[in-house]
Amino acid sequence: MCGTCGCGAKTQATILNLETGAETTLDGHVRSHTQDDGSARQHEHSPPHAHPHDHGADHVHARHHDHDHLHDHDHLHDHEHGDHDHQHDHRHDHDDGHARSSVIELEAQILAKNDALAAKNRGWFLGREILALNLVSSPGAGKTTLLERTIRDLKNKIPISVIEGDQATSRDGERIRAAGAAAVQINTGAGCHLEADMVEKGLAELKPPFGSMVMIENVGNLVCPALFDLGESAKVVILSVTEGDDKPLKYPHMFKAAEIMIVNKVDLLPHVDFDVGAAIGNAMKVNPAILALRVSARTGEGMDDWYDWLDHRMLQSRL
């Protein structure tokens, strides 16, 4: 389990190139791609270079080390003091403190490793004048629909590539391809967020052109994606009017980390109890600099404001 968020190990994560059908694990092993209908396709291809940055093995090693250390420690206490209640309680407290310390140390190591890889990704984007955006939201807020409309409206103006993150299935990645953009699907298994090494692998599959735009659709989650830098130029948080207008106060770290908040599905406002002004005000309480846009990815309302912001950020990426 991950010491940062409690999600599963990254050994379950896979990267599916939706153009070639090639599916690999993070360490480069070839896997058969199981389609949403349950059938499987075998892909014969040379695996990419093994990724040197996966912390899954380090994580497992750390857990085994802690277990062995605690086991030896208990053994010594039993021999030195015998089976006394006082000794047992002392050992329990000591072990709990050691375990907490180990978890905190592991969290710091994981985030530090991720930040180093994110910095590498950021330099890669800057060197190629690529605008990279990290789209984050709760499940069902409309990230994929927003991307579909954006791709269809802008694909003749700017090349757009997408790294699509979900725990399972390639459904959203296939939707992105149908809209007209190159895409790779990253399935995180038990993981609740994308990490910088996953994005690095996805970019190696995508090969986005110079001066283009890369959209990273993160796993639906308003907690952990706030902690993990992917090397993006900005985080874009999408808040649907079908959610509560107090979400920015409940999940302040995400809204504080975002440069822009898109209030999506405004076409549904007549049918829901959602105060747009309150939502924007709550977001500004935790992040006074956040820009808020009201859009409907389904009807197109407000999308021109989103496109204007993208144009502005594209110009900045070329300076």
Side-chain angles (χ1 to χ4, degrees):
M1 300 291 284
C2 174
T4 300
C5 63
C7 67
K10 291 197 299 181
T11 53
Q12 302 178 45
T14 60
I15 299 174
L16 172 63
N17 187 321
L18 292 165
E19 303 297 319
T20 66
E23 184 178 34
T24 58
T25 61
L26 281 185
D27 59 6
H29 290 109
V30 181
R31 294 188 58 173
S32 61
H33 172 47
T34 302
Q35 304 178 89
D36 292 339
D37 62 6
S39 61
R41 293 202 308 263
Q42 283 292 136
H43 309 292
E44 296 182 0
H45 65 287
S46 298
H49 296 296
H51 198 287
H53 307 297
D54 184 10
H55 67 245
D58 295 339
H59 191 179
V60 173
H61 173 76
R63 284 170 58 87
H64 281 288
H65 175 76
D66 290 345
H67 175 76
D68 293 342
H69 175 78
L70 294 176
H71 178 78
D72 293 343
H73 184 75
D74 291 350
H75 184 71
L76 287 173
H77 270 283
D78 290 344
H79 278 278
E80 290 174 2
H81 301 293
D83 296 329
H84 301 295
D85 292 340
H86 173 75
Q87 178 273 334
H88 175 77
D89 292 339
H90 170 74
R91 182 184 66 213
H92 178 74
D93 292 342
H94 179 83
D95 289 354
D96 283 351
H98 181 81
R100 284 194 296 271
S101 177
S102 296
V103 169
I104 292 171
E105 181 180 352
L106 180 60
E107 285 184 8
Q109 290 174 355
I110 290 171
L111 290 173
K113 183 179 291 187
N114 183 82
D115 287 347
L117 289 172
K120 180 180 176 182
N121 289 345
R122 184 168 287 108
W124 192 91
F125 288 130
L126 288 172
R128 290 159 180 79
E129 298 184 2
I130 291 174
L131 174 64
L133 300 176
N134 184 0
L135 274 62
V136 293
S137 78
S138 300
K143 295 189 301 297
T144 307
T145 302
L146 178 74
L147 277 175
E148 286 178 303
R149 182 138 200 155
T150 301
I151 291 163
R152 290 192 177 104
D153 289 348
L154 300 184
K155 63 183 177 182
N156 293 327
K157 181 179 179 181
I158 181 73
I160 300 175
S161 304
V162 177
I163 295 176
E164 183 65 46
D166 278 304
Q167 286 194 320
T169 85
S170 60
R171 293 186 178 188
D172 286 354
E174 296 292 357
R175 287 171 59 184
I176 294 301
R177 281 193 69 214
V184 294
Q185 178 77 50
I186 298 180
N187 288 338
T188 60
C192 62
H193 57 273
L194 295 177
E195 298 186 20
D197 58 343
M198 299 177 182
V199 170
E200 182 185 45
K201 281 286 190 180
L203 292 172
E205 295 287 338
L206 272 179
K207 299 178 176 62
F210 185 95
S212 63
M213 187 184 302
V214 172
M215 299 283 201
I216 305 166
E217 183 176 351
N218 219 314
V219 180
N221 178 5
L222 282 177
V223 182
C224 293
L227 301 175
F228 284 82
D229 183 10
L230 305 180
E232 71 271 14
S233 303
K235 284 184 174 66
V236 178
V237 62
I238 293 93
L239 175 65
S240 166
V241 303
T242 56
E243 305 173 70
D245 49 38
D246 58 351
K247 274 286 177 71
L249 300 179
K250 291 182 175 180
Y251 302 91
H253 297 293
M254 179 59 76
F255 288 84
K256 186 174 182 179
E259 182 174 321
I260 178 173
M261 175 178 74
I262 294 180
V263 181
N264 192 25
K265 304 185 183 181
V266 295
D267 55 301
L268 298 180
L269 281 173
H271 311 289
V272 296
D273 184 16
F274 184 93
D275 188 330
V276 176
I280 295 173
N282 288 334
M284 294 188 71
K285 286 179 183 177
V286 299
N287 182 0
I290 198 167
L291 172 67
L293 301 178
R294 312 178 190 204
V295 312
S296 169
R298 187 177 70 86
T299 68
E301 180 182 350
M303 292 296 287
D304 285 342
D305 293 333
W306 165 236
Y307 299 153
D308 287 344
W309 183 84
L310 289 177
D311 285 340
H312 173 69
R313 293 302 266 111
M314 281 297 298
L315 288 174
Q316 287 184 326
S317 69
R318 294 168 181 168
L319 296 177

